[in-house]
Amino acid sequence: MRSKLQYVFVFTLFFHLIYSQEKKDNFPLRFTIKYENESLIQNKKYISSTKDTLQIESFRFYVSNIKLILKDNSVISEDNSYHLIDLEEPNSQLIYLPKKSNLEIKKVVFSVGIDSTSSVSGALSGDLDPTKGMYWAWQSGYINFKIEGKSSSCKTRNNAFQFHVGGYLKPYYAIRTIELEPRISNFEINVDLSRLFNQIKLSETNSIMIPGSKAMDLADKAKSMFSISEFLPNEN
């Protein structure tokens, strides 16, 4: 019995050391979902600058093709770079990237959405699994980002708004590239939904469910949500 417990202890310690080393060799890229620079709270009422009172019930988006461009212009990327960020899944908001260099990061580049190749590749696994609820069909591909909620400004059933933005075929290719330049070493990526809702009136725009010109316009507006800020660990 004692030898069995010793074996379990040694195995657990070995696994912990390997896991800790992997984290040490990797760079943690955090996506912090906010509304007006404060952590977004699901179903809390917010007011946009266009005077819409709104509640966010769900928010999910794909991040793909992540690249870290270092000070010497070398590039660190990852294979199969597809991640589903979900408001309801805090663990999804932290991505570990392989960075074994001590050089400063000059630029972070990534796409919001899924490229055309993956959209037509058929059934995939992991974050690209269609059961995640972010895949329409091969004709339309993946939903790049999905925002659902309620607003008294919406004259819809249950005052609901729904934005399912995607499209991989021209002229409605809705994937967008984000380039951010961190000025500090300890940073995170803010995703501030107020910057999107400040650009729209929910009484006029409250349902986008298919690829098209409206989805393209919202994809353009959504780029403003992303910015860099210093990461301040929670001391509590």
Side-chain angles (χ1 to χ4, degrees):
M1 182 67 179
R2 184 178 177 182
S3 60
K4 186 176 181 180
L5 289 174
Q6 287 176 333
Y7 173 78
V8 171
F9 174 77
V10 171
F11 178 80
T12 303
L13 179 61
F14 176 76
F15 178 81
H16 176 74
L17 290 173
I18 294 296
Y19 182 70
S20 298
Q21 185 62 39
E22 285 181 351
K23 281 194 170 184
K24 184 178 179 181
D25 290 341
N26 293 333
F27 177 80
L29 188 64
R30 298 175 179 85
F31 288 82
T32 304
I33 301 172
K34 298 184 176 184
Y35 198 98
E36 292 183 341
N37 295 315
E38 294 184 358
S39 294
L40 187 144
I41 299 175
Q42 192 176 21
N43 294 314
K44 178 180 176 178
K45 288 186 177 181
Y46 296 98
I47 301 177
S48 71
S49 64
T50 54
K51 308 303 180 184
D52 288 322
T53 299
L54 59 104
Q55 298 167 264
I56 306 297
E57 295 179 338
S58 64
F59 176 41
R60 313 173 85 197
F61 63 96
Y62 275 113
V63 171
S64 64
N65 197 27
I66 304 173
K67 294 183 176 66
L68 301 178
I69 300 175
L70 305 183
K71 193 173 182 178
D72 64 351
N73 290 322
S74 60
V75 178
I76 294 175
S77 59
E78 62 173 358
D79 296 330
N80 300 315
S81 184
Y82 305 105
H83 302 273
L84 180 59
I85 312 296
D86 191 338
L87 172 63
E88 298 184 55
E89 298 290 343
N91 289 339
S92 72
Q93 299 163 30
L94 178 60
I95 300 170
Y96 284 99
L97 299 172
K99 179 182 181 294
K100 297 182 180 181
S101 171
N102 292 324
L103 290 175
E104 294 179 12
I105 297 173
K106 184 170 71 172
K107 187 180 294 186
V108 180
V109 181
F110 59 89
S111 295
V112 178
I114 300 300
D115 56 56
S116 57
T117 301
S118 297
S119 291
V120 298
S121 295
L124 298 172
S125 59
D127 280 355
L128 295 178
D129 192 321
T131 62
K132 298 287 185 179
M134 295 291 286
Y135 185 73
W136 280 313
W138 69 266
Q139 298 98 329
S140 303
Y142 282 89
I143 300 169
N144 294 340
F145 67 87
K146 179 186 289 189
I147 307 172
E148 297 177 343
K150 294 180 180 179
S151 171
S152 56
S153 299
C154 300
K155 307 308 177 185
T156 56
R157 185 177 181 181
N158 298 322
N159 301 119
F161 60 81
Q162 294 179 305
F163 300 127
H164 296 185
V165 175
Y168 72 92
L169 294 174
K170 293 181 179 181
Y172 303 126
Y173 188 52
I175 193 170
R176 293 294 182 269
T177 299
I178 308 295
E179 295 188 8
L180 302 172
E181 297 182 6
R183 306 294 182 183
I184 46 180
S185 58
N186 196 29
F187 66 88
E188 63 184 4
I189 296 177
N190 289 337
V191 190
D192 191 340
L193 279 163
S194 71
R195 296 186 177 188
L196 173 61
F197 283 94
N198 287 343
Q199 299 180 72
I200 61 178
K201 292 184 178 181
L202 288 171
S203 59
E204 300 172 0
T205 303
N206 49 56
S207 180
I208 297 175
M209 303 293 288
I210 59 173
S213 58
K214 291 182 178 180
M216 292 285 285
D217 180 62
L218 201 63
D220 288 336
K221 288 180 169 63
K223 291 179 65 175
S224 66
M225 295 191 298
F226 298 90
S227 64
I228 291 283
S229 69
E230 183 179 5
F231 173 66
L232 299 175
N234 189 347
E235 296 180 355
N236 295 329

